[in-house]
Structures are given as C-alpha cells and as structure tokens.
Amino acid sequence: MECPHLTSSVCIAPDSAKFPNGSPSSWCCSVCRSNKSPWVCLTCSSVHCGRYVNGHAKKHYEDAQIPLTNHKKSEKQDKPQHTVCMDCSSYSTYCYRCDDFVVNDTKLGLVQKVREHLQNLENSAFTADRYRKRKLLENSSLNSKLLKVNGSTTAICATGLRNLGNTCFMNAILQSLSNIEQFCCYFKELPAVELRNGKTAGRRTYHTRSQGDSNVSLVEEFRKTLCALWQGSQTAFSPESLFYVVWKIMPNFRGYQQQDAHEFMRYLLDHLHLELQGGFNGVSRSAMLQENSSLSASNKCCINGASTVVTAIFGGILQNEVNCLICGTESRKFDPFLDLSLDIPSQFRSKRSKNQENGPVCSLRDCLRSFTDLEELDETELYMCHKCKKKQKSTKKFWIQKLPKVLCLHLKRFHWTAYLRNKVDTYVEFPLRGLDMKCYLLEPENSGPESCLYDLAAVVVHHGSGVGSGHYTAYAVHEGRWFHFNDSTVTLTDEETVGKAKAYILFYVEHQAKAGSDKL
C-alpha cells in the first residue's frame, strides 16, 4: 500500500552509525535480546523483535504515541512518530498506523537507501563469516566437530523458516521441496521479477494484503524463498511475502490456525502449475520447460492442459480398472496424479511404535499393496454399468501406468469418526533407499531394472493427536547428510533417527546410483 506517514517517520540517515554491529538478520531485540525476527525503527534505528516473537517492535511504536496525547494536532504532525519499521531479514517495510506493508518511498528515496545499506551490511557479514568457516574447515579436527551427527548440533549453511503463527505446515513442505534438487533448481534459475512500473520503477516488489490478486505471483515468491535457503547467509528466513500471496490466492489458508500439510502441498503445486501454464513476464513457462533437455517430453504428464515442471517431475499416470460383477464388463480409465494417498491397513492401526510386540510392523509395502489390491466396491459405490444400463456391484483395481521422477506418497493418518477427525498414529516402516515400485506397474516388463527404484529425499512428520493441532517438522537429505527442519531450527541428524519417524508425507526421487541397495 501507499503509506502517507513516511515523511514524518523515516528520519534516520541511510548509513547511520547508530545501527548495531554484525549481520542485520541476526541483530538482537534491545528489550528481550532475542535474535528472531528483528525489526529496525526507521525513526530512531532501535531494534526490536516482531509480533510473532515478543512483539517489542509494536510496543515501541505504542509507547512512542503516549507522550503525543498531550500535544496539539499540529505539534503531532511535526514530531517523529516511530510508526515505520523494516524487517532486517526480508527488508520489507511496515507501518503500524496503516497496519500494512509499505511499497512507496519518501521523495528522497530514504527507505530504499536504508534497505540497500542493510543489504550491504548483511553481505559484508556473510563474506566475513564464510571466510571464517573456510578457515575452520581447513582444520580436519575442527571440521569433524562441526559435522558431528547428533540431535543438538546446529547444521552448517542450512537455513530455517520462521513460524509466522501456526505456519509449521507450510515450513515443512517448503523445506522438503527445497531439497528436491531438480524441482528446486528449475525455480532458482528463473529470471527474477522485481521491477514495477510508474512511481516505484526500479524498486523491489513487496506484496501486501491490500494489493489485488493481479499484483501477486506465487511463482516469484516461491522462487525467492527457495533462493534464500541453503545460502548460509542467515540462520532463519521469514517467508512473509510468500505467506501473504498464499492468503491472496488460497482462501482456505487465511488466518493463523493449524492447517493440513498435505492439503497445502496439493494447493501449492496446483497453483504453481496453473501460473506456470499462463506464462510469466511475457515468456511461456511451458516453452521454457520444453527447452530444458533434462525434462524431456517422454517424462511429462499433462494435468489440466500443457505440461510444466510440476507435472514433469511429480506427474504420474494411474490406470483405474473397474469390472462389473454381473456381466463382466471391464472399464478402464487413465488418471494423472501428483501424489498417491495410501491407507494404513486396519490390522495395523493399534500398533503405535516400531518396538511394540503385538504383531508385525506395518511397512510402506503393506500400504502400497492395500492401494493396488483388487477391491470390491460397497453398496454406496455401485458402478454404473453401460451394458447392464444400471448401477451394479463391481470390483476396482489400480495400476501405475507411468511412474513420476519424484514419487510423493501421502499416508492417510487422519480419518473421520462419528463426531471428530482422529489420527492414526501407527508407525509405518519405510526404506531410505531402493524402494522398488516395479510390482505395482501395469507393464513391468517394459521397465529397466533401475528405472523403478527410488531413494528417499524428504519426510514430513506430524507430531500431535489431531489435524487441527500439533506440529509439523521435516527431515531431508542434502549432499549426503540428513537434516531435521523444525521451523527456524535446523540440526544435523542420522539415518537411524529418520527411519524411526512416523511419516506423514514421503518424497522419493529416482534412484541414481549403480551400486546395489536394499529393496522394499
């Protein structure tokens, strides 16, 4: 929005010596000393924490307004009011009087100058920190200590995502997708779209809640978020701009209540796919995809029109086979998919942990077999037989006609009872490498020995008892090391810990290694 309060509130010099030392993204709140979500006041350059930490930035604004109540209106207008502050991580500007993010600037361009100064401070701190880390890594003994795998060692170069208020569902999905290399690299290599026309030409675009739908781009904000991860320039990144775009185009996710991570993932992929189909900045994304030799036409799966990177990587095809039990008529239908939702077989639902002694452990193979086994449809799902001209009892079976490059498996842990939605807390054993999907293919004889093998890339885990509560985290492998992503905290972990997780969503990538591996 265009803020009318900048002239009276932006008073600090762009290169003010009053700024704290060090990297702006790690500056500490002057009240509580927290380095999470630091904001700098553009009136006095004091640093306070954001509203999702302890809210001292807002309190600083409120306290500054109290002395003004004893002055006349004309005196108020002349006195600085501490209403505008800047996020030290994303460099977006916020006005507390307008209660919204700001896209305009002062006549002298002070906001942009402060932004550029903070970016320079951040880059200088990053360069110095990178040099320091390089020197440390040259010492093998120090290196081994830094990379020691345990639950409390902070990961090097990994960036967390700040929780904006029950947004762990979004953070877990974003961290998982950022570790699917081919998918992530495509977005990071897209050209940036950061310029606006008219008064704000040449300045960065900061999306706000007051802008119309035509002014937001999910692809662009998703690209910016992916670029911010794995750079090592900050311990945590605030995905505010992306979250506001989500609010704009996905009404189901407005507000700060807990959401379903799988539902968010599907909405995110679907909207990315639709926006990529529509082209971006005058260049069709589908045309750009066709020029990418690593995503050839044989790997594409079209959903709702032309193929995009979403369908080229996540897209597969199912064959749905239905047989009438009265006349034997067979009906076949091919359905594209981006993920497979698997039931946990009922006989395993009482087994909550891997080490529990009451019977065999449920495996991912059990869930896949339950999905693809022949099933007789019940009375509520009678099949309309075109030969019998009426609804009849029938059987249904799924085959996988085409496997995707990245196989996303969703375990259906939430189900409705008479009055509420309960969680199936059963542990499901899953392989970290060598998942063999050949036996679920429609024509397995046409597949090579390595083409049906998958290795685990990421896991989303739900902690808690219900879909509307609890907490989401993610495990992902990056350059051979496993990391645990818990909002702004990222730690190194090991394969044993990952294997014990009660998975909710599993991301498997095509097996690349030639060496033998354990098969499912």
Side-chain angles (χ1 to χ4, degrees), residues 403 433-439 441 443-455 509-520:
L403 284 166
R433 55 183 65 85
L435 169 62
D436 193 348
M437 294 295 293
K438 191 168 187 176
C439 60
L441 283 177
E443 298 175 340
E445 65 277 3
N446 295 333
S447 301
E450 293 285 330
S451 62
C452 302
L453 295 180
Y454 287 84
D455 296 332
V509 298
E510 286 182 319
H511 182 71
Q512 299 296 329
K514 299 297 182 181
S517 58
D518 298 331
K519 294 185 179 181
L520 177 65

Side-chain angles (χ1 to χ4, degrees), residues 413-426:
R413 291 196 174 274
F414 301 106
H415 68 100
W416 288 101
T417 59
Y419 301 103
L420 68 156
R421 199 178 185 189
N422 287 334
K423 180 181 177 182
V424 179
D425 205 29
T426 302

Side-chain angles (χ1 to χ4, degrees), residues 3 27 185 198 213 252 277 294 323 395 409 477 496:
C3 174
W27 284 347
C185 286
D213 292 348
N252 291 0
Q277 281 183 320
S294 63
N323 285 279
T395 60
L409 301 176
V477 63
E496 183 180 0

